[in-house]
Every structure is written in structure tokens, then in C-alpha cells.
């Protein structure tokens, strides 16, 4: 429950209407614990027995759960009160919440007579609450003005001026309200001007609104607006981090004088405050004695030493004015508030979707984007003016999403000291973060790649310095400039990059990369594994067959060839190759798996179980949990063939694989397919949602395509052609860009059969035949219901 005193007098959730009881509760909420005697004398000064009157009212308060906390002779409130909340919110600078909480004058609905002291307290509290709400509205209006929202600023200032329950605005309120109303062209500006003249105040017209976009920084604006006379604040940040924009926003919010830092003559920066530059330190300090003055100096680094000394003395002496100083470095003396500006956060830019992704929150780039200007408008010109080693450092860093500083230094052939100084300079200039990451690097790369040869040379320098996998994207960008010595290292980098893609479950990307490097024999085996992953078995076999006779007999080539042959259904050849592999390495695990698959195809379930168990043990030896669980799935399949129940052997494996999404999705896929093959369609159907979620979690597009094709075949065989077509189309969507010709050909041929599109059917079979899937083509022709020409 909350006590409501602003606008209405009530307790939320109850129908309690005793005004004096609630007034007593409000007094305790706002003034804190009180002695009983003081309460009695204040509330019942003319009563015969004030303590008895107090006791009767406390009885009523005890009837409100959680209203009172009594401790001997003292009484306190334990219930929240909106007036106390408003006071707390304004003290903490939470202006929006404070303004929303104000529902009207404090205790405006009281109808009971009050003693003189209590009545004075009610009126004083009413004025204080109204003034707090006005301050909140004025702060919101100033923030709106700072962000260029003139109409909104005028509306809020008008609310503050005419706020019911607030006292008339004083000589501190009137200048700010006049500024905000004039900025918005609001008709109430003239009334404020008249009120000010009646008080002997001269109000200057509001400055023209600045067109520069300004977003974010609400917290910083609020903190600066909350400074009190005599306090000093410091704003630091690298170049381009928005120090000047923040001070311009302060000027638009009203009541601030912003002075640009000047290098000469002495005290020239302070000249606007006195009409002419002060001539002595005492005169300079005197210019800062006005408690109504709120002054900001933009550019401490360019301000003359005499003015710096005067401002440092003012920060210590606190002569009266509020002082804000902006510089690139940290404050050289003690200040009351230090704000360090960095890039804007995604939350700062929430009103502008995608802007943070384009600019990395760099304030200069944000401003360019909001104006519709190129993001490199200023940065590009600055970079071109730098010495060559500074420019190339910046560009090499821009070519990397996560810069490798050691490799970048090696690529530039710079000593550690020169490189550190260069990086520090780029950071100070606001071009890079402290970690070397370039702001809006994608835009810089886009412009750089238009200068093809220079960009390729920079990529090559990086590729030669970066380790393995990270080097390949840069080798790829610089192929035209490779020298003989680069061929071997580039092949090594490409293999590592492709292997990383295979491990992440992206064989299509690995195959696409290695398709462009077929002239490099060192990549043949890795290429074959990628081609196997996308179902291009004949291409994988051709790649391996092109190896020299010696290279074909190497263990990893034998393993890849054996797996390719087993996928093509050439069982005897696959097993013969697998038998040539010895040892206990990964190749031996592949060989055991090939023998297990061959036994499964022959329905020799005991042999399949034995070989799959050996493969699982070998993968366990090498710490590959995913491969081990995959082979244990084959063991489970063989156990089902030997008579065990599918759920008894698969469910423990699925539980064990919960922490390995890819293995779990594959196990679940095999389990569901097996249930369907055994005719347990109801159980299989119940598992489909879990299966689809597992495949999506693992990012297994092949598995998802397989599921849709199998469900399409089931619907096809039942005669539900509409559902079958939907499943085939879903499978085709998942297969897009994967390079899996086998599954794509199956989906296309089945779909064209449903559509009775003979031409499309033949095109699909031609696609499969070109990929070496001749057995599959023959099977589809046998099953097809279309007339084959």
C-alpha cells in the first residue's frame, strides 16, 4: 500500500477516509520518526488532552497494515508515501519518474481545520512538492532542447510554468523557462518576459537551435545539470567522442555560457564574462564569483596557461560559479564530477535501429550518419594526411575485426616503441579504441577495397604475419600478389581455415573455399572431407583419385576415400581400403566406422555393433566427444537390429548428449528415422518437435533438410501430396547454399513428380547424374510414377 497525498488523499487498496489520520501519517512519512508529545502538541494544540487525541488516531492507523512502526515514546511511518518518493526521485535526478508521479498539489483536498503551525507545514510542503515537480519538468525540457526537440521542450516548459501547486517562478527559474519557451516559439515566453521585468531581470533571447544531431548522453546531461554553485566538473575523452557536442547541448538546454578555449592572449578565454580579458589572477577569479553563473570551457588543451591556472584555483577555492571543463586527458586537479566519454552504447542509440552496428557508436560517425553524410567524411581526410607508417597502421587495423597487435606490428616491421606510440596517437585522435579496434571498420574496408592493388598489398602483409586460420581471409584477398613463397603458407592457412569450418559444422563453406584451390595437392584430403559433408561424394572421390599413387596410400587419404566409397554404396572397395589402415589414430576410427556401416548395410548387426564400438573407443581416446557419440548411435542401431528396444538404447545416449547439441541432434534424427522405418509412426511423430528444435539449436541444415524430405516421402506415400510438396519445398530452402547435390536432387525430383512437371523431373535427375549419383538416379526412375521419355 502507498499513501497518496498529491492531488488526492487516500491509501491505495483501501477505502479509508479519515483526513486527519492520513495527515498524521503523511507528516510521519515526510518528517521521519517523531516523539509522541511533539505530535500531540502540533496536531491538537487546543485539545483538553492532546495525548489522548493522538492515541485515538494511532488506533485508526494501526488498523492499516504496515502503516506504523512504534518504539516506546517515538512513532514512525512504515508505509511508502508519494510525496516522499517525489522528493527522493528529484534528489537522484530521476526527472521523468518524478514528473509522472506528481498528480496535483499536496493535500489539496483537505477540508478539516488546522492549527497555525500545522497549516504552515502543509503550505510549505505543498510549495516544496510543486517546486520539485517544476524542477523535474524543467530538467526534462532542457534535455529535450539539448537533443534539438524544440516543440517538446516548449511543451514541458509550459507545464512547469503553469504547474498547479507550485509557487510563482523565481529569478532562477525564469531565465531557464524563458530560454526554453523562446527556443520553441511558445506564446508563454512573452508572459515570462513580463514577469522577469517586474522583478528587474533582463532576459536575453534564446540562441538559434544548433542543427548538429545529438543523441544519447542523457545521464551525462542530467549529471551536469545537477551541479550546484561552486562545484567543478571535468569532461574527458579522445577526439571525436562528443565533448563539444555535449557542451553545445548544455547551451541549448539554457542557463549555460560555453567558452571556446583560446591559446592567447592570457585570460582571453574568460573575456566574454568580463567584456575584456582579465589582466590579473584576482580579476580572473572575480569573473567566476557569481553563484548564478554556469560556465563551460571547451578545449582545456588549447587554453592558455594563465587561464588554466585561474580555473584550477577556482576549482579549489569554489568562488561561486558552476564550472565545467572539457579536455582530452584526465583532470590535473581534484574536481567534484569527472565524466569520461567513450563511444555511444546500443542503448543510447535505441531510437535509431542499426546505427550502432554501422558506426560502433563513434559520436562523429553517428553525426555523419544522422545527417546522411558518408561515414568517412572526416576520418578519411585525416588519415590521408598522416605519415605513411601511421596511415598503414590504421588501415591494417581496419582490415581486422579483432586486431592482432603483434601480427600488425610484424606486418609493418615497426619496433615496439614506434608501434606503441603510433597506436596511442590513433587512440587519442579517436580513430581506434584502446585495443586497436577501428571504429566503423567495415566502412573503411569498403572504401579501401576500391583501391584494389593497395588493399591487396595490405592484406598480403597481414596474411604473412598472422597465424594459420586467421591468415586465410587475407591471403584470399591478395591472391593476385602471391609470390612463390606464399603458395605453401597460403595452402596451410586455407587448410586450417577449412578444418575450422568443418569443425563448426559448415562443410558447404569449406567446400566453396577449397573448390577454388584444386591445383594444390596439399588440400585434397581436407577438400574431400568438405565434399563428403555436402554430399558431393563423386567429386570427393575424383579429388582423391587425382592424387599421386604415393599420396593416395597415406593414411588420411585412405580414410577419406573409404568413407567416400561407403557413402557411394561401394561397400567392398570401402572395406578393402579401411583394412589397409592400422594404428589407433583418427584415421583408424574412420576405418572402423566404415566397416560398421558396411556391416549395417548387409544387416550383419553383430559385426556392425563390434566395429562401431571400436570406432567409439578410438574417438574417446582422442577426446572427440561428438564423434564418439555419433558412433555410439551406430552401436545403438545395431543393438536394435539384434532385438533390443529402440528407446532402451537411444534414450540414455540422448541424455548423455544434452551438452553436445550437434551430437544430440544427430542421435535424435537417427532415432526418429529408425522408429519410422519400424512402423512406430506415432512415437516418431511425437518426437518431431524435439528433433526440429535440436537440429535448429545445432545449426544442422542437412539434418533439417533430411527430416523434411523424410516427412515429405511419408506424406507422398500416403497420398497427401499437398503436405508432401510443403515438406520438399522446406527441404529445398534449408539446402540453399549448402552444396548438397544429393539431397537437393531428391527433393527436386520428388517435387516435380507431384507437380507432374516432366521437364523439371529430368532436370533434377541430370543434376544428380552430373554429381555422380547414378545409383540414386536409377532408384528414382524405378520408383517414379511419371512417364520417362
Amino acid at each position: 500500500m502507498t499513501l497518496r497525498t498529491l492531488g488526492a488523499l487516500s491509501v491505495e487498496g483501501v477505502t479509508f477516509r479519515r483526513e486527519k489520520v492520513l495527515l498524521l501519517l503523511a507528516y510521519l512519512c515526510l518528517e521521519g520518526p517523531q516523539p509522541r508529545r511533539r505530535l500531540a502538541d502540533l496536531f491538537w494544540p487546543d485539545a483538553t488532552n492532546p495525548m489522548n487525541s493522538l492515541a485515538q488516531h494511532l488506533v485508526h492507523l494501526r488498523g492499516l497494515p504496515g502503516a506504523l512502526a512504534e518504539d516506546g515514546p517515538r512513532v514512525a511511518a512504515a508505509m511508502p508515501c508519494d510525496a516522499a518518493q517525489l522528493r527522493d526521485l528529484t534528489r537522484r535526478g530521476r526527472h521523468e519518474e518524478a514528473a509522472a508521479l506528481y498528480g496535483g498539489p499536496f493535500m489539496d483536498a483537505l477540508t478539516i481545520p488546522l492549527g497555525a503551525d500545522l497549516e504552515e507545514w502543509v503550505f510549505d510542503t505543498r510549495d516544496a512538492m510543486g517546486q520539485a515537480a517544476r524542477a523535474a519538468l524543467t530538467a526534462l525540457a532542457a534535455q529535450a532542447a539539448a537533443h534539438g526537440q524544440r516543440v517538446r521542450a516548449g511543451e514541458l516548459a509550459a507545464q512547469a510554468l503553469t504547474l498547479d501547486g507550485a509557487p510563482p517562478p523565481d529569478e532562477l527559474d525564469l531565465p531557464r523557462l524563458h530560454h526554453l519557451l523562446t527556443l520553441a516559439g511558445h506564446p508563454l515566453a512573452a508572459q515570462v518576459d513580463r514577469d522577469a521585468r517586474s522583478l528587474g531581470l533582463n532576459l536575453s533571447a534564446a540562441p538559434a537551435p544548433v542543427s548538429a544531431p545529438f543523441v544519447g548522453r542523457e545521464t551525462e546531461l542530467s549529471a551536469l545539470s545537477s551541479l550546484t554553485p561552486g562545484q567543478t566538473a571535468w569532461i574527458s575523452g579522445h577526439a571525436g567522442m562528443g565533448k563539444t557536442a555535449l557542451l553545445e547541448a548544455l547551451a541549448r538546454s539554457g542557463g549555460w555560457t560555453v567558452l571556446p578555449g583560446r591559446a592567447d592572449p592570457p585570460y582571453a578565454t574568460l573575456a566574454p564574462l568580463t567584456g575584456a580579458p582579465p589582466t590579473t589572477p584576482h580579476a580572473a577569479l572575480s569573473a567566476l564569483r557569481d553563484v548564478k553563473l554556469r560556465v563551460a570551457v571547451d578545449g582545456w588543451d588549447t587554453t592558455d596557461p594563465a587561464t588554466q591556472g585561474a580555473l584550477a584555483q577556482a576549482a579549489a577555492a569554489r568562488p561561486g560559479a558552476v564550472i565545467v571543463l572539457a579536455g582530452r586527458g584526465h583532470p590535473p586537479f581534484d574536481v567534484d564530477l569527472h565524466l569520461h566519454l567513450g563511444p555511444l552504447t546500443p542503448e543510447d542509440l535505441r531510437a535509431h535501429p542499426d546505427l550502432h552496428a554501422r558506426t560502433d557508436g563513434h559520436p562523429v560517425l553517428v553525426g555523419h550518419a544522422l545527417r546522411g553524410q558518408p561515414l568517412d567524411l572526416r576520418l578519411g581526410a585525416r588519415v590521408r594526411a598522416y605519415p605513411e607508417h601511421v596511415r598503414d597502421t590504421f588501415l591494417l587495423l581496419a582490415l581486422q575485426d579483432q586486431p592482432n597487435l603483434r601480427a600488425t606490428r610484424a606486418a609493418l616491421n615497426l619496433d615496439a616503441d614506434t608501434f606503441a606510440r603510433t597506436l596511442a596517437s590513433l587512440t587519442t585522435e579517436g580513430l581506434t579504441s584502446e585495443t586497436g579496434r577501428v571504429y566503423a571498420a567495415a566502412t573503411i574496408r569498403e572504401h579501401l577495397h576500391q583501391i584494389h592493388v593497395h588493399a591487396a598489398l595490405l592484406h598480403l602483409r597481414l596474411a604473412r604475419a598472422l597465424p594459420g586460420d586467421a591468415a586465410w581471409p587475407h591471403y584470399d584477398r591478395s591472391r593476385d600478389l602471391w609470390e612463390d613463397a606464399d603458395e605453401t603458407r597460403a595452402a596451410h592457412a586455407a587448410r586450417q581455415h577449412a578444418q575450422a569450418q568443418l569443425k563448426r559444422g559448415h562443410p558447404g563453406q569449406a567446400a566453396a573455399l577449397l573448390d577454388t584451390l584444386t591445383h594444390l595437392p596439399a588440400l585434397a584430403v581436407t577438400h574431400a572431407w568438405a565434399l563428403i559433408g555436402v554430399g558431393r561424394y563423386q567429386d570427393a572421390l575424383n579429388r582423391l583419385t587425382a592424387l599421386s599413387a604415393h599420396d593416395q596410400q597415406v593414411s588420411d587419404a585412405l580414410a577419406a576415400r573409404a568413407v567416400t566409397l561407403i557413402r557411394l554404396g561401394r561397400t567392398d572397395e570401402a572395406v578393402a581400403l579401411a583394412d589397409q589402415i592400422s594404428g589407433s589414430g583418427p584415421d583408424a576410427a574412420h576405418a572402423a566406422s566404415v566397416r560398421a556401416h558396411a556391416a549395417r548395410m548387409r544387416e550383419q548387426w553383430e559385426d556392425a555393433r563390434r566395429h562401431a564400438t571400436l570406432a567409439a573407443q578410438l574417438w574417446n581416446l582422442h577426446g572427440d566427444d561428438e564423434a564418439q557419440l555419433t558412433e555410439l548411435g551406430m552401436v545403438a542401431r545395431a543393438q536394435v537390429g539384434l532385438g533390443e528396444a529402440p528407446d532402451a538404447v537411444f534414450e540414455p545416449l540422448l541424455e548423455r548428449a544434452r551438452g553436445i547439441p550437434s551430437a544430440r541432434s544427430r542421435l535424435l534424427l537417427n532415432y526418429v528415422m529408425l522408429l519410422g522405418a519400424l512402423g512406430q509412426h506415432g512415437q516418431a511423430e511425437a518426437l518431431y518437435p524435439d528433433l526440429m528444435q535440436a537440429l535448429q539449436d545445432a545449426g544442422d541444415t542437412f539434418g533439417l533438410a533430411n527430416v523434411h524430405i523424410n516427412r515429405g516421402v511419408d506424406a507422398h506415400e500416403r497420398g497427401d501430396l499437398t503436405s508432401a510438396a510443403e515438406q520438399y519445398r522446406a527441404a529445398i530452402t534449408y539446402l540453399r547454399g549448402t552444396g548438397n547435390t544429393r539431397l537437393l536432387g531428391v527433393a527436386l525430383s520428388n517435387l516435380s513428380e507431384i507437380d507432374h512437371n516432366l521437364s523439371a523431373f529430368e532436370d533434377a535427375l541430370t543434376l544428380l547424374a552430373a554429381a555422380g549419383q547414378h545409383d540414386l538416379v536409377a532408384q528414382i526412375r524405378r520408383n517414379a510414377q511419371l512417364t520417362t521419355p
Side-chain angles (χ1 to χ4, degrees), residues 452-629:
H452 175 72
V453 176
H454 187 58
L457 181 59
L458 290 171
H459 277 294
L460 184 60
R461 290 167 70 178
L462 260 182
R464 289 169 173 171
L466 284 166
D469 178 20
W472 170 249
H474 300 285
Y475 270 125
D476 190 28
R477 284 280 193 172
S478 59
R479 293 191 193 210
D480 294 342
L481 301 182
W482 286 5
E483 298 176 358
D484 291 343
D486 292 308
E487 289 278 349
T488 301
R489 195 171 188 280
H492 178 71
R495 179 168 60 249
Q496 285 192 304
H497 192 70
Q499 287 171 342
Q501 290 174 320
L502 287 172
K503 193 166 185 64
R504 289 195 297 267
H506 301 301
Q509 295 177 19
L513 184 164
L514 298 177
D515 280 346
T516 66
L517 298 169
T518 54
H519 64 288
L520 297 176
L523 301 178
V525 175
T526 304
H527 192 189
W529 286 119
L531 294 169
I532 292 168
V534 296
R536 292 166 55 188
Y537 306 127
Q538 190 60 47
D539 288 344
L541 186 59
N542 294 341
R543 186 76 164 99
L544 294 167
T545 303
L547 288 171
S548 66
H550 173 270
D551 289 344
Q552 288 188 38
Q553 295 304 310
V554 176
S555 181
D556 60 348
L558 286 173
R561 189 180 180 91
V563 171
T564 303
L565 290 170
I566 200 70
R567 299 291 175 87
L568 287 170
R570 294 161 61 174
T571 309
D572 294 338
E573 296 173 76
V575 172
L577 287 176
D579 288 342
Q580 296 180 40
I581 300 172
S582 59
S584 58
D587 299 329
H590 282 302
S593 181
V594 165
R595 288 189 284 268
H597 277 278
R600 177 189 62 78
M601 294 166 71
R602 297 168 180 149
E603 297 192 2
Q604 297 171 348
W605 299 115
E606 181 55 41
D607 287 344
R609 185 199 61 76
R610 180 165 52 85
H611 291 305
T613 300
L614 174 60
Q617 290 170 344
L618 290 173
W619 286 124
N620 183 48
L621 180 66
H622 292 280
D624 193 329
D625 294 337
E626 182 179 356
Q628 181 196 16
L629 284 167

Side-chain angles (χ1 to χ4, degrees), residues 211-380:
S211 60
F214 184 77
V215 295
R217 308 295 194 208
E218 279 81 3
T219 301
E220 291 84 353
L221 278 170
S222 179
L224 294 173
S225 299
S226 300
L227 293 170
T228 58
Q231 289 190 313
T232 301
W234 185 279
I235 304 171
S236 65
H238 300 311
M241 288 298 119
K243 300 183 294 296
T244 297
L246 180 57
L247 295 184
E248 289 176 349
L250 271 182
R252 289 197 295 276
S253 72
W256 285 87
T257 300
V258 178
L259 306 175
R262 296 176 59 182
D264 55 63
Y267 302 115
T269 299
L270 301 177
L273 301 181
T274 57
T279 57
T280 65
H282 177 74
L285 197 60
S286 295
L288 302 171
R289 294 192 186 280
D290 186 354
V291 294
K292 298 179 183 177
L293 178 65
R294 299 166 76 83
V295 64
V297 176
D298 185 16
W300 173 267
D301 310 283
T302 59
T303 301
D304 69 277
T307 302
Q308 289 182 346
L311 293 171
Q313 186 179 355
R318 299 177 179 270
V322 175
I323 302 172
V324 174
L325 306 171
R328 291 190 178 184
H330 285 250
F333 45 78
D334 291 337
V335 295
D336 298 290
L337 173 67
H338 177 203
L339 300 175
H340 181 70
L341 302 188
L344 296 164
T345 67
E347 179 64 18
D348 292 330
L349 301 176
R350 62 187 180 279
H352 305 275
D354 303 326
L355 189 55
H356 190 273
R358 293 172 54 205
T359 64
D360 289 329
H362 192 293
V364 169
L365 301 179
V366 168
H368 290 169
L370 292 176
R371 296 187 192 97
Q373 296 168 329
L375 293 189
D376 72 334
L377 180 67
R378 189 186 304 175
L379 299 186

Side-chain angles (χ1 to χ4, degrees), residues 238-241 243 328 362-365 368 375-388 390-392 394-395 424-432 439 444:
H238 300 311
M241 288 298 119
K243 300 183 294 296
R328 291 190 178 184
H362 192 293
V364 169
L365 301 179
H368 290 169
L375 293 189
D376 72 334
L377 180 67
R378 189 186 304 175
L379 299 186
R382 287 166 58 192
V383 170
R384 285 190 289 273
Y386 288 148
E388 182 179 349
V390 178
R391 182 193 66 223
D392 284 352
F394 173 76
L395 294 176
S425 173
L426 291 172
T427 302
T428 302
E429 289 298 312
L431 297 173
T432 66
Y439 296 111
I444 303 298

Side-chain angles (χ1 to χ4, degrees), residues 49-275:
N49 190 345
M51 290 296 289
N52 183 58
S53 299
L54 173 63
Q56 292 176 18
H57 283 70
L58 291 178
V59 169
H60 292 297
L61 278 180
R62 294 187 191 104
L64 292 174
L68 282 182
E70 299 180 72
D71 181 18
R74 298 176 69 81
V75 182
M79 179 181 289
C81 172
D82 57 357
Q85 291 171 344
L86 174 64
R87 187 172 60 187
D88 180 59
L89 289 170
T90 53
R91 286 172 179 170
R92 290 190 287 156
R94 295 168 63 173
H95 308 302
E96 192 166 355
E97 295 174 62
L101 188 61
Y102 188 75
F106 176 76
M107 293 284 180
D108 193 36
L110 276 181
T111 60
I112 56 175
L114 303 175
D117 291 342
L118 187 56
E119 185 177 58
E120 182 180 357
W121 177 83
V122 170
F123 288 151
D124 287 346
T125 305
R126 183 175 298 165
D127 284 351
M129 294 297 111
Q131 186 60 37
R134 172 179 285 154
L137 287 167
T138 305
L140 292 175
Q143 289 182 9
H147 288 76
Q149 302 165 5
R150 289 177 289 164
V151 174
R152 176 65 174 158
E155 292 172 349
L156 290 166
Q159 289 182 42
L161 178 66
T162 60
L163 188 67
D164 190 16
D170 58 20
E171 65 275 12
L172 295 178
D173 290 328
L174 287 172
R176 296 197 76 190
L177 293 172
H178 179 261
H179 173 93
L180 296 165
L181 293 167
T182 305
L183 191 68
H186 199 284
L188 284 176
Q191 175 188 323
V192 175
D193 191 37
R194 289 192 299 270
D195 293 344
R197 283 201 301 270
S198 69
L199 293 174
L201 298 176
N202 292 319
L203 302 178
S204 58
V210 180
S211 60
F214 184 77
V215 295
R217 308 295 194 208
E218 279 81 3
T219 301
E220 291 84 353
L221 278 170
S222 179
L224 294 173
S225 299
S226 300
L227 293 170
T228 58
Q231 289 190 313
T232 301
W234 185 279
I235 304 171
S236 65
H238 300 311
M241 288 298 119
K243 300 183 294 296
T244 297
L246 180 57
L247 295 184
E248 289 176 349
L250 271 182
R252 289 197 295 276
S253 72
W256 285 87
T257 300
V258 178
L259 306 175
R262 296 176 59 182
D264 55 63
Y267 302 115
T269 299
L270 301 177
L273 301 181
T274 57

Side-chain angles (χ1 to χ4, degrees), residues 560-755:
R561 189 180 180 91
V563 171
T564 303
L565 290 170
I566 200 70
R567 299 291 175 87
L568 287 170
R570 294 161 61 174
T571 309
D572 294 338
E573 296 173 76
V575 172
L577 287 176
D579 288 342
Q580 296 180 40
I581 300 172
S582 59
S584 58
D587 299 329
H590 282 302
S593 181
V594 165
R595 288 189 284 268
H597 277 278
R600 177 189 62 78
M601 294 166 71
R602 297 168 180 149
E603 297 192 2
Q604 297 171 348
W605 299 115
E606 181 55 41
D607 287 344
R609 185 199 61 76
R610 180 165 52 85
H611 291 305
T613 300
L614 174 60
Q617 290 170 344
L618 290 173
W619 286 124
N620 183 48
L621 180 66
H622 292 280
D624 193 329
D625 294 337
E626 182 179 356
Q628 181 196 16
L629 284 167
T630 299
E631 292 302 331
L632 289 175
M634 172 64 77
V635 173
R637 176 66 186 89
Q639 288 174 311
V640 173
L642 292 170
E644 295 196 41
D647 54 350
V649 291
F650 271 96
E651 288 182 2
L653 289 178
L654 289 170
E655 183 62 31
R656 181 175 167 184
R658 283 196 178 277
I660 310 175
S662 55
R664 186 174 186 277
S665 65
R666 202 168 297 123
L667 284 168
L668 195 55
L669 175 62
N670 291 332
Y671 182 31
V672 171
M673 296 301 105
L674 176 60
L675 290 174
L678 295 174
Q680 301 178 26
H681 298 294
Q683 192 174 352
E685 192 68 29
L687 288 172
Y688 269 121
D690 190 18
L691 170 60
M692 299 300 283
Q693 186 62 53
L695 291 169
Q696 288 171 354
D697 290 344
D700 190 346
T701 53
F702 300 139
L704 289 164
N706 253 315
V707 171
H708 283 296
I709 288 175
N710 277 279
R711 299 196 77 178
V713 169
D714 289 343
H716 205 155
E717 291 175 348
R718 295 195 309 269
D720 186 356
L721 301 186
T722 300
S723 296
E726 290 176 356
Q727 296 291 344
Y728 293 143
R729 290 192 182 97
I732 292 168
T733 299
Y734 280 115
L735 289 169
R736 185 174 293 120
T738 64
N740 195 315
T741 309
R742 180 182 178 87
L743 288 181
L744 181 62
V746 171
L748 288 172
S749 61
N750 289 358
L751 184 60
S752 59
E753 183 179 341
I754 291 174
D755 294 338

